[in-house]
Structure formats: structure tokens, C-alpha cells
Amino acid sequence: MTPNPLYIDETPRSPRVELDPDTGHLALTGESYPEDASAFYGPILQNVASYLATTIDAPLTVDMRFIYFNSSSAKAIMNLFQMLEENAEGGRSVTVNWFYDPDDDLMAEMGEDFAEDFRHASFYLKPDTEVA
């Protein structure tokens, strides 16, 4: 059974989230500093975990386009990436695309820091003028 798609509209404090189980695509776009990061990211992590549990060999592509995120969001992103890396280690094809504004050195450095934790999943840093 394929899990349900997930769509959360972007707000001034939280990113747009799209998980399409049919295509194996997850996207987070925008700014992330929700009042309660656990409450915001908890259902997202649960949906991704459900996707990974029910689509054993299906590839997953993740597109991240953040303008800004706070430390609580960074922890949730790390938890997501850890889940993805564990699945990649188990043999699933996982690709993470980290899009960032070429003028935003901090977001590029954050992507570089996250990339260091991946050994099995593919992680690509992609300058993109459409992120700003």
C-alpha cells in the first residue's frame, strides 16, 4: 500500500512541504522557523518514515530549497537526513538536492555541513538563483 501524499502550504514561518509517494519525491521550500519545530516536523518525519517503510526499494529524491531555518529546524532536518542515510545504507536509492542562492554563503555552508554526514545517499549542492 502506497502512503498518502502530503502537502503543507508555505507560511511566513514554515516551508511548503510536498511528498508525492507515486513519484518518490519530497520537497521542502521556503523559510523555517515555526514556533514549535517538533509539532511542525513531527508529522513530516512520520509521513516520510511511512513512505520508506511501505515502498521498500523505491527511490526517493529530496529537493531542499531553504531561504532560512533556525536551529530547531536544523535539528529536524538532521533527523530527516539521518533517516534517509539509514535507508540508503540499506540499499535504497536516495538523492538529496540542496538548492541555495549563490549569494548566500551561509546556506551553502549549511549544505556542505549536512553533506558530510552522508556516506550512502547522494547529496548534491546546487546553486540556484530561483531560491531567493
Side-chain angles (χ1 to χ4, degrees):
M1 181 173 132
T2 304
N4 292 327
L6 173 67
Y7 182 84
I8 301 172
D9 242 344
E10 183 175 1
T11 73
R13 299 178 64 103
S14 61
R16 181 180 65 240
V17 180
E18 299 171 279
L19 172 61
D20 184 345
D22 291 334
T23 62
H25 184 248
L26 171 66
L28 285 84
T29 305
E31 298 195 46
S32 184
Y33 53 102
E35 261 185 52
D36 185 345
S38 295
F40 179 77
Y41 280 98
I44 297 166
L45 295 174
Q46 289 174 349
N47 272 276
V48 172
S50 175
Y51 171 80
L52 295 170
T54 57
T55 59
I56 303 301
D57 293 327
L60 178 64
T61 299
V62 180
D63 291 336
M64 310 291 271
R65 285 185 167 86
F66 284 110
I67 299 167
Y68 168 80
F69 56 85
N70 64 7
S71 59
S72 297
S73 296
K75 182 175 181 182
I77 294 166
M78 287 189 316
N79 290 338
L80 171 64
F81 285 168
Q82 183 176 19
M83 185 186 326
L84 298 177
E85 176 63 6
E86 289 170 3
N87 267 264
E89 185 175 6
R92 180 188 300 267
S93 173
V94 176
T95 301
V96 177
N97 297 308
W98 184 268
F99 296 93
Y100 63 95
D101 181 341
D103 294 329
D104 188 346
D105 294 338
L106 181 60
M107 200 54 67
E109 289 174 19
M110 293 302 295
E112 291 170 2
D113 288 347
F114 284 130
E116 291 177 3
D117 294 331
F118 284 94
R119 301 286 177 267
H120 304 282
S122 299
F123 191 100
Y124 300 102
L125 293 166
K126 297 189 170 190
D128 184 354
T129 56
E130 294 182 21
V131 173

